[in-house]
Amino acid sequence: MKEWIRVHPYQALAMGYVLFFAVGTGIWIVAGRDLKYALFTAFVWTLFYWLIALTQIRRRRKATLSLQDQGQMMVYLRYPDSRPGSLSSIWSQGIATPCSNPSPSSIQFQPAFYDTLEPFGRDTTIAIQNFSPERRKVGGKDRKYIPDYGLQAMTFATDEGTIEIAAQPETLDQLIAALGLS
């Protein structure tokens, strides 16, 4: 179901709108309001929900397409072997760009703001030595500062230690192919 929603976000939004409208109308009728009032109020609230959700879907799709056009990917990165309280358990969102300097399997990671993907801070070039092909779902308490669902994480060995990268499964596939590690 999650996979279908990710592939068909607009259809899922329409189904959510209809469901939200039906539940909203039912709540207002049970609360003792007449049918005309219940339908109008449910319509207004579901229209508000729909506009917010549609704006978010369009913004996310536009950002993803813009990054893909430039050969970049939105990922979350953390350093699991660092000291507790630093970036050992907190994911940092950013833009990963595969590059060939200092090694053929390198990425340039630029931290970015959450909604706009506006770069902030300095970028870091990470030379990847190898990776563990096992993937795990990122969920529960492991999702600190990640607003997205359905992400998977992989562990990479670098010349400076271990990092974890979380992204959509398709993005991880693209990253592995771009780095030539497959």
Side-chain angles (χ1 to χ4, degrees):
M1 183 69 169
K2 289 180 185 178
E3 181 67 30
W4 184 85
I5 291 172
R6 192 174 354 167
V7 174
H8 304 95
Y10 294 110
Q11 290 88 347
L13 179 63
M15 288 175 39
Y17 177 82
V18 170
L19 181 65
F20 195 51
F21 180 79
V23 169
T25 303
I27 289 172
W28 285 111
I29 289 175
V30 168
R33 304 293 183 162
D34 63 343
L35 182 62
K36 185 177 172 182
Y37 179 85
L39 289 172
F40 178 75
T41 305
F43 173 75
V44 170
W45 280 104
T46 53
L47 182 64
F48 182 68
Y49 151 79
W50 183 77
L51 289 173
I52 290 173
L54 183 63
T55 302
Q56 292 289 43
I57 289 172
R58 284 188 176 172
R59 182 183 299 157
R60 181 63 71 171
R61 284 228 163 168
K62 184 178 177 182
T64 302
L65 291 174
S66 173
L67 289 175
Q68 285 177 350
D69 289 345
Q70 300 172 17
Q72 299 174 324
M73 298 154 225
M74 188 187 77
V75 299
Y76 298 90
L77 182 127
R78 73 175 176 183
Y79 301 90
D81 294 336
S82 62
R83 286 182 277 152
S86 60
L87 289 179
S88 64
S89 63
I90 299 174
W91 294 94
S92 176
Q93 178 179 347
I95 300 167
T97 307
C99 58
S100 59
N101 192 12
S103 72
S105 298
S106 296
I107 60 170
Q108 183 176 3
F109 180 76
Q110 173 68 54
F113 284 114
Y114 284 87
D115 287 341
T116 61
L117 293 180
E118 187 71 30
F120 74 93
R122 62 184 173 101
D123 60 342
T124 305
T125 301
I126 303 167
I128 296 176
Q129 305 301 324
N130 61 20
F131 71 102
S132 174
E134 292 91 29
R135 296 183 183 188
R136 63 179 174 75
K137 290 184 179 181
V138 178
K141 291 182 181 179
D142 195 29
R143 283 189 57 242
K144 285 186 181 176
Y145 302 104
I146 295 182
D148 295 335
Y149 291 94
L151 300 182
Q152 293 180 352
M154 293 180 69
T155 303
F156 293 86
T158 69
D159 53 355
E160 297 189 18
T162 303
I163 63 168
E164 288 183 330
I165 295 179
Q168 296 292 339
E170 303 85 24
T171 304
L172 288 175
D173 293 339
Q174 292 171 357
L175 181 63
I176 296 299
L179 293 175
L181 296 172
S182 52

